[in-house]
């Protein structure tokens, strides 16, 4: 019997639906070629839906999504909705509800894509950030007093549990071993200032490291990591860090790998339902123009198939993306693809279907 996967699709806001459409096209082509089937259920969530109905993400929708094998997300964020409402109410809610405690973000410069880093090429820029995804400053601990008065106080605390930190670090060691490149795991922290939180991280890291003698370990403060990511990106293989630092350094990473049009990510619960998304936002000013780069969404789909256990289909997508970036697209990093969103999807699909070998 052919294997069948149920995929929940949340196209979301802005350019999300345009890139998700291309991603689904590619997923379908890869599934057809590799002999499994995908069943997509679309959920109308995001800014437009919220403005029209007042609904953000109802419990019943979460329960329905919980029946699927994976979630494919476009983008969340709407210029007419106050920042935080949709991000916390949809994106973070999904990450927390499904306990997707890993945010996996590969930073890989493909051939044919320009990096702003002088004298660096694809052999220098190929690492992965493992970002803790359910704790830290994102946990929502804190509050405010006397808001709007001169005596106002705002407190926002970083939550770091031994369990949460440990499962993230352990995942990073395992991932690094499986990746089997330089076998080096770097902890990114701030032990010189955040002496409570990163003391916990560092102790857990050093203890768990003893179980992985084959993995070289390293530590750098987050500010230094930013410096090295620009100066010597080739030093990195896998970086593990907390939620906030991971958020920040992966935007830098996205630029280093050629821009938001390329950067894909996965919110992973290794024992549950994971969610795959391009890491860029909803890009309202490009919405509906058919000019946004769908490669990030397509690479997110690739990671989805890898995670679901379809490595052949995933490799087929990556090889096709590699060819299109190398041979067909113009200057992706400068936002000039030379093709429309849909045409880029078609080009990748042609390689998948073998029409263009
Ligand atoms: C990301 C985004 C989100 C985050 C926002 C939209 C809440 O920036 O996925 O990196 O901060 O995690
Ligand atoms: Mn971010």
């Amino acid at each position: 019997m052919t294997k069948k996967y149920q995929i929940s699709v949340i196209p979301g806001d802005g350019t999300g639906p345009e890139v998700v459409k291309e991603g689904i096209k590619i997923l379908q082509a890869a599934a057809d070629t590799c002999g499994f089937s995908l069943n997509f259920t679309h959920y109308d969530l995001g800014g437009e839906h919220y403005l029209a109905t007042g609904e953000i993400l109802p419990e019943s929708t979460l329960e329905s999504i919980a029946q699927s094998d994976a979630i494919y997300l476009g983008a969340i964020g709407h210029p007419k909705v106050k920042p935080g409402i949709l991000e916390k109410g949809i994106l973070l809610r999904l990450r927390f509800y499904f306990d997707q405690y890993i945010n996996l973000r590969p930073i890989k410069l493909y051939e044919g894509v320009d990096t702003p880093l002088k004298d660096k090429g694809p052999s220098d820029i190929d690492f992965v950030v493992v970002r803790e995804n359910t704790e830290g400053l994102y946990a929502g601990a804190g509050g405010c007093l006397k808001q709007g008065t001169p005596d106002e106080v705002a407190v926002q605390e970083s939550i770091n549990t031994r369990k949460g930190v440990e499962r993230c670090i352990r995942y990073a060691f395992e991932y690094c071993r499986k990746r089997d490149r330089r076998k080096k795991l770097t902890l990114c922290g701030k032990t010189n200032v955040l002496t409570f939180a990163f003391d916990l991280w560092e102790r857990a890291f050093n203890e768990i490291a003893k179980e992985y003698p084959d993995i070289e370990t390293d530590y750098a403060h987050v500010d230094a990591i930013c410096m090295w990511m620009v100066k010597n990106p080739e030093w990195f293989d896998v970086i593990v860090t907390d939620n906030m630092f991971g958020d920040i350094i992966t935007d830098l990473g996205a630029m280093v790998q050629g821009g938001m049009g390329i950067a894909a990510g996965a919110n992973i619960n290794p024992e549950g339902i994971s969610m795959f998304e391009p890491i860029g936002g909803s890009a309202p000013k490009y919405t509906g123009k058919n000019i946004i780069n769908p490669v990030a969404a397509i690479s997110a789909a690739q990671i989805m198939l890898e995670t679901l256990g379809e490595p052949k289909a995933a490799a087929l997508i990556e090889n096709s993306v590699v060819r299109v970036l190398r041979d067909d697209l113009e200057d992706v990093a400068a936002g000039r693809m030379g093709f429309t969103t849909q045409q880029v999807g078609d080009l990748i699909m042609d390689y998948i279907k073998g029409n263009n070998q």
Side-chain angles (χ1 to χ4, degrees):
M1 225 178 76
T2 46
K3 215 155 176 197
K4 192 173 186 132
Y5 300 97
Q6 302 290 336
I7 311 299
S8 295
V9 182
I10 305 172
D13 296 317
T15 52
E18 293 165 54
V19 295
V20 156
K21 188 163 166 242
E22 298 314 305
I24 288 178
K25 203 161 92 182
I26 299 306
L27 280 166
Q28 199 64 70
D32 290 348
T33 310
C34 295
F36 58 91
S37 88
L38 297 166
N39 186 31
F40 299 98
T41 306
H42 281 69
Y43 292 91
D44 185 14
L45 299 169
E48 291 300 332
H49 182 74
Y50 171 65
L51 291 170
T53 63
E55 192 175 77
I56 300 179
L57 175 50
E59 196 68 28
S60 57
T61 304
L62 287 167
E63 283 163 17
S64 165
I65 294 174
Q67 302 307 310
S68 58
D69 296 302
I71 307 167
Y72 189 42
L73 178 98
I76 295 295
H78 194 289
K80 292 202 183 112
V81 182
K82 193 173 164 237
I85 294 181
L86 302 170
E87 292 85 345
K88 279 181 147 178
I90 301 177
L91 185 60
L92 299 187
R93 177 101 170 97
L94 286 162
R95 287 176 183 169
F96 293 174
Y97 184 88
F98 291 108
D99 200 20
Q100 294 159 344
Y101 59 88
I102 298 299
N103 195 325
L104 192 71
R105 297 189 161 181
I107 315 286
K108 183 168 178 176
L109 179 69
Y110 286 110
E111 250 183 276
V113 178
D114 271 346
T115 174
L117 304 187
K118 193 165 166 279
D119 302 329
K120 299 292 176 190
S123 61
D124 304 303
I125 300 167
D126 184 0
F127 58 97
V128 177
V129 176
V130 174
R131 162 187 175 190
E132 200 292 321
N133 210 29
T134 53
E135 303 193 338
L137 282 166
Y138 281 67
C144 54
L145 284 171
K146 303 181 183 174
Q147 201 178 32
T149 76
D151 295 328
E152 182 162 355
V153 181
V155 178
Q156 198 118 35
E157 284 172 314
S158 175
I159 305 294
N160 299 265
T161 68
R162 177 74 198 202
K163 177 182 154 196
V165 167
E166 209 172 297
R167 66 184 182 174
C168 174
I169 291 174
R170 201 172 287 283
Y171 181 93
F173 272 106
E174 287 291 333
Y175 186 86
C176 188
R177 179 179 274 173
K178 228 173 71 212
R179 179 172 146 87
D180 199 17
R181 296 273 164 82
R182 299 195 41 214
K183 293 231 185 150
K184 177 177 166 188
L185 180 63
T186 305
L187 173 65
C188 162
K190 190 72 187 172
T191 52
N192 53 350
V193 176
L194 306 180
T195 48
F196 306 128
F198 280 100
D199 180 60
L200 195 169
W201 275 83
E202 199 174 37
R203 272 184 290 113
F205 184 75
N206 291 335
E207 280 167 33
I208 296 168
K210 293 194 190 113
E211 297 169 34
Y212 296 87
D214 51 323
I215 310 283
E216 181 195 342
T217 57
D218 193 12
Y219 170 84
H221 298 318
V222 62
D223 45 351
I225 289 266
C226 290
M227 177 176 75
W228 299 127
M229 273 174 68
V230 171
K231 198 168 177 293
N232 294 97
E234 68 279 4
W235 285 357
F236 298 115
D237 178 19
V238 179
I239 299 176
V240 63
T241 191
D242 83 345
N243 210 340
M244 187 80 257
F245 291 165
D247 177 47
I248 297 167
I249 66 170
T250 53
D251 264 29
L252 175 58
M255 289 306 114
V256 162
Q257 71 181 134
M260 282 299 180
I262 303 281
N267 303 273
I268 295 180
N269 176 341
E271 298 88 35
I273 299 169
S274 301
M275 175 164 73
F276 305 84
E277 52 169 346
I279 82 166
S282 54
K285 70 177 177 192
Y286 300 121
T287 302
K289 298 204 163 107
N290 201 18
I291 55 172
I292 197 91
N293 188 348
V295 164
I298 291 168
S299 295
Q302 170 210 320
I303 307 174
M304 177 162 103
L305 294 184
E306 243 160 49
T307 310
L308 285 173
E310 295 292 344
K312 210 175 124 226
L316 193 57
I317 296 181
E318 184 172 29
N319 292 339
S320 305
V321 165
V322 163
R323 292 183 64 172
V324 165
L325 290 173
R326 188 190 61 201
D327 302 337
D328 300 314
L329 302 192
E330 284 171 21
D331 192 346
V332 171
R336 277 192 312 272
M337 301 191 289
F339 296 93
T340 65
T341 304
Q342 199 181 337
Q343 285 170 335
V344 175
D346 289 342
L347 284 167
I348 295 172
M349 195 168 68
D350 280 345
Y351 285 124
I352 288 179
K353 290 191 163 169
N355 298 344
N356 218 346
Q357 301 294 330

